Amino acid sequence: MKIKNMQWLLLLLGILGYGWAEAHSLPDCKAQLLVQSEQVVIKFRSPYEILELASKAKIDLSSQESLEALKRYLVQHTHISDSLHSQWTITASTITTGQTTDPNIGTYPEIIAELYLKPDNSNSLHSFVLHSDWVIHQIPTQSILVSVEQDWANGIIENSGQQLGMIAWDIPSGKILPLQIQLEQGSWIKGFISMLKLGMTHIQEGTDHILFVVVLLLPCMLIPIGKRWSSYRGLKSSLLEILSLVTAFTVGHSLTLLLGALEWVRLPSQPVEVLIAVSILVSAVHAIFPVFSGKEKYIAIGFGLIHGLAFSSVLADLAVSAPILLVSILGFNLGIELMQFLLIAGIIPWLLLLSQTRIYIWVRLTGAILASIAAIGWIVERVSGQGNSITSVVDHLPDVALPIIPGLAFVSVISFLIQRLSFRRKHISAWD
């Protein structure tokens, strides 16, 4: 058979019942690379029936024999070479199943397998050739899409899906061609900056965290008297109170961020997310009338511990060495603090002005009530697992957050000037 007739051969065999045509109705396989300090992990994802057809065996992950057979198949069909002539150790590790949804065909089951590729020379990690014919050697109409899911030193942290290429049957040559993997060497600085940006983004997109900080600070400028908030407490006292609360909150979330990222403390995400919503509700009630007057910093540090557990979940899944993890924690936390500082710096001056005016009571009550409604919506959603109309609106708040601060600034300046002008007129009238 001449190579130029290969395409007709593939089509003929598909018609004759090898299952290729039907198999190709499912999405292509994927190989997602996680570049670590000493090895590369390939997360291979294949539709269930595709891998069964290719391996010529029924896959039953509850059977140790079936599991080991699948691991052998994946290893035997993987080979690595590089210009440094490194010796690569290839092992198959965790194999699980999952459900994936494709917009064209709907939901289908898939196999997710992890392969560890470890060279004896770590300089080979960013430049090597991947020789693999998983699935394709039996189903030539299939392809394997190769991408980078994580490469810390190059600033690829969260499932960026950076495409590297595709492994497929090459019709002209009649071969399955290997794929050259060529990545930049990267650096600690790139990784640190990416973690800094990730921390900032996490706050910028974290509506619940932003709302908690704002509501916590709403009554800071006021003097509590009994069961109500009274008059403006003064600039120095207000700034000291704000600094006290922000510091307490920072200490709290920094502590659990560190412990959670190191996996010394780990809680399921659902109760943590519910408690974050509860923290917003409690702070909103406190902004309406003093609930824990004089104990604000203890509440702030307590709620900070909860928020830190949520932050740590972002870092806990980083498969990096201990030194890199510590750098990641530092960069991520600095990003959180920087974004939090920008948020506070953008809001507090205007709240300080407003708190000296008569309309601040309505600003404070409106903000606290809206935050309470949002918190209740989040609690219901996070307990039930079902979205609702409240959260669908609240989750879009970051999209309109930028115009809010200039609007707040305009209202506060105008209100402050009107009140000063009114006070001056009364003062002049009294002298007259």
Side-chain angles (χ1 to χ4, degrees), residues 64-326:
Q64 190 63 31
E65 183 180 352
S66 176
L67 188 63
E68 292 302 322
L70 181 55
K71 288 182 178 180
R72 285 195 299 273
Y73 166 80
L74 293 170
V75 171
Q76 288 168 1
H77 289 267
T78 308
H79 176 68
I80 306 295
S81 63
D82 64 79
S83 60
L84 300 178
H85 306 292
S86 300
Q87 296 296 316
W88 291 74
T89 302
I90 303 172
T91 55
S93 182
T94 308
I95 300 179
T96 59
T97 60
Q99 295 284 332
T100 300
T101 301
D102 183 271
N104 298 317
I105 66 170
T107 302
Y108 63 91
E110 68 172 359
I111 295 285
I112 306 168
E114 290 186 355
L115 286 89
Y116 293 167
L117 318 177
K118 187 172 183 178
D120 57 5
N121 186 343
S122 60
N123 292 322
S124 300
L125 288 171
H126 288 81
S127 180
F128 60 90
V129 180
L130 174 60
H131 306 258
S132 176
D133 60 355
W134 306 306
V135 171
I136 307 171
H137 69 104
Q138 290 293 330
I139 312 172
T141 51
Q142 273 282 313
S143 301
I144 302 171
L145 305 177
V146 183
S147 63
V148 178
E149 182 177 0
Q150 180 182 307
D151 183 1
W152 188 91
N154 277 310
I156 302 173
I157 304 296
E158 281 196 317
N159 305 334
S160 70
Q162 178 181 326
Q163 297 299 318
L164 296 177
M166 180 172 65
I167 300 175
W169 194 284
D170 182 63
I171 298 299
S173 66
K175 298 178 180 179
I176 301 172
L177 300 180
L179 180 64
Q180 173 70 49
I181 306 296
Q182 188 68 49
L183 305 171
E184 294 182 24
Q185 283 298 326
S187 66
W188 284 62
I189 294 176
K190 278 187 180 179
F192 177 81
I193 292 174
S194 68
M195 294 308 303
L196 183 74
K197 291 179 178 177
L198 182 61
M200 295 182 69
T201 302
H202 198 70
I203 297 301
Q204 186 179 352
E205 297 175 352
T207 310
D208 49 358
H209 178 80
I210 292 173
L211 203 56
F212 171 76
V213 172
V214 172
V215 175
L216 187 67
L217 298 177
L218 273 177
C220 285
M221 290 70 65
L222 304 175
I223 300 173
I225 298 178
K227 295 296 183 179
R228 66 184 182 87
W229 292 106
S230 184
S231 59
Y232 177 61
R233 67 163 72 210
L235 179 61
K236 182 179 178 180
S237 179
S238 297
L239 291 177
L240 288 174
E241 182 68 11
I242 291 167
L243 180 62
S244 172
L245 289 185
V246 171
T247 302
F249 181 66
T250 298
V251 169
H253 77 65
S254 297
L255 178 60
T256 46
L257 170 60
L258 175 63
L259 296 178
L262 294 174
E263 297 191 323
W264 293 350
V265 174
R266 197 80 182 264
L267 292 179
S269 61
Q270 186 190 26
V272 171
E273 294 298 327
V274 171
L275 286 173
I276 288 174
V278 170
S279 72
I280 298 170
L281 180 59
V282 172
S283 298
V285 172
H286 180 67
I288 296 173
F289 53 87
V291 177
F292 37 81
S293 178
K295 302 180 180 63
E296 286 89 347
K297 58 179 175 293
Y298 302 113
I299 300 299
I301 196 170
F303 286 152
L305 294 171
I306 297 168
H307 284 248
L309 289 173
F311 296 152
S312 68
S313 63
V314 179
L315 301 181
D317 296 328
L318 281 180
V320 294
S321 62
I324 290 178
L325 179 59
L326 291 175

